[in-house]
Amino acid sequence: MVLHAYFDETGIHTGSKATAIAGFIGEADAFGETEARWLDACRSEGVDFFHYSHMVHRKRPFEHFDEDKRKRILNTLSSILSEAAPDLKVVGSAYVGIWDKAPVPELAERYPSAYSFCFETLMEMLHSHAMKEFGGQRIVPVFADQQQYGTRALEMDSIFQETGSWPYMEPVRFDKPSSRPALQMADMVLYEIYQYLSRGSRDEWQNWSYL
């Protein structure tokens, strides 16, 4: 059996107080069921996809969402994720601090960016989970389409694939969040994680049982 994992990233802009990559891992059937519910919930509110920061800042297609509608879709989607918790597990990696201002010297020598640090540590974590927790099942990692750092991620993945360092990992793939609900799910949980990491605020996600 092959496991699937979907990830989004945040805090990759210059001066960010934190950088993180996070998302969900689970079996294909569990993702399929949850994605179907997610898409139905979005369409019931008149949108075809969810993007947290677009909703918060009332960007298209959320420019007409009033406060009640925003709370309703957040409650509905967070409930869907909470109910999926037994089958879809949250996993992620983060660097807390302003990387381009005062990176840890040892890390700066090894990784060209905070994204690279998070990507490689996340992949190592996934590989470890595959061995220790998932009985050697292979994992298909899918990341949100990332033009700025995607090339570096593919290069590193290619090196580790060629050297056999990650034998339980399938080659990295990228997809567009607008067409993949699992990446929208990652976006939602990651937005809340970023608020906590960068501001110490946990108001929004303290009651989410899967975190």
Side-chain angles (χ1 to χ4, degrees):
M1 183 179 295
V2 176
L3 296 174
H4 293 256
Y6 295 87
F7 301 101
D8 197 6
E9 85 290 326
T10 189
I12 60 175
H13 55 280
T14 300
S16 175
K17 295 180 180 179
T19 302
I21 301 176
F24 296 88
I25 184 171
E27 296 180 3
D29 289 346
F31 272 112
E33 180 180 343
T34 304
E35 284 187 300
R37 294 184 61 199
W38 181 278
L39 186 57
D40 286 344
C42 288
R43 288 176 173 170
S44 70
E45 296 293 352
V47 293
D48 289 325
F49 68 94
F50 179 83
H51 191 285
Y52 210 141
S53 66
H54 283 196
M55 189 199 66
V56 169
H57 299 291
R58 289 187 167 86
K59 295 182 180 180
R60 293 183 62 183
F62 306 98
E63 66 269 33
H64 302 303
F65 274 42
D66 59 23
E67 192 62 24
D68 288 341
K69 194 168 186 177
R70 296 200 312 175
K71 288 182 178 179
R72 185 169 64 244
I73 194 171
L74 280 178
N75 288 336
T76 300
L77 295 180
S78 62
S79 294
I80 290 173
L81 294 185
S82 184
E83 291 166 9
D87 300 309
L88 300 180
K89 307 298 184 183
V90 174
V91 63
S93 176
Y95 175 85
V96 180
I98 303 177
W99 181 274
D100 51 318
K101 189 174 184 179
V104 177
E106 300 79 30
L107 296 181
E109 293 176 5
R110 172 68 176 81
Y111 307 98
S113 66
Y115 178 91
S116 294
F117 167 77
C118 292
F119 172 80
E120 291 188 42
T121 53
L122 174 64
M123 292 292 285
E124 291 285 358
M125 186 188 310
L126 287 174
H127 187 259
S128 177
H129 284 336
M131 293 189 295
K132 298 177 182 179
E133 299 183 27
F134 302 127
Q137 297 181 69
R138 294 181 66 81
I139 299 174
V140 179
V142 181
F143 292 80
D145 195 18
Q146 172 46 248
Q147 296 183 354
Q148 183 176 359
Y149 295 111
T151 300
R152 164 72 179 182
L154 288 174
E155 290 175 351
M156 295 308 301
D157 179 60
S158 177
I159 291 173
F160 284 110
Q161 292 287 341
E162 290 176 2
T163 59
S165 300
W166 295 337
Y168 297 109
M169 302 300 299
E170 292 287 326
V172 165
R173 306 175 187 180
F174 289 90
D175 203 348
K176 295 184 180 301
S178 59
S179 60
R180 190 77 214 209
L183 293 174
Q184 300 166 34
M185 292 154 51
D187 166 76
M188 185 176 194
V189 69
L190 191 58
Y191 184 93
E192 299 296 354
I193 290 174
Y194 182 76
Q195 305 312 305
Y196 175 68
L197 293 178
S198 62
R199 303 171 190 171
S201 171
R202 197 173 177 175
D203 294 342
E204 295 292 340
W205 58 293
Q206 61 183 346
N207 294 321
W208 290 12
S209 63
Y210 58 93
L211 287 172

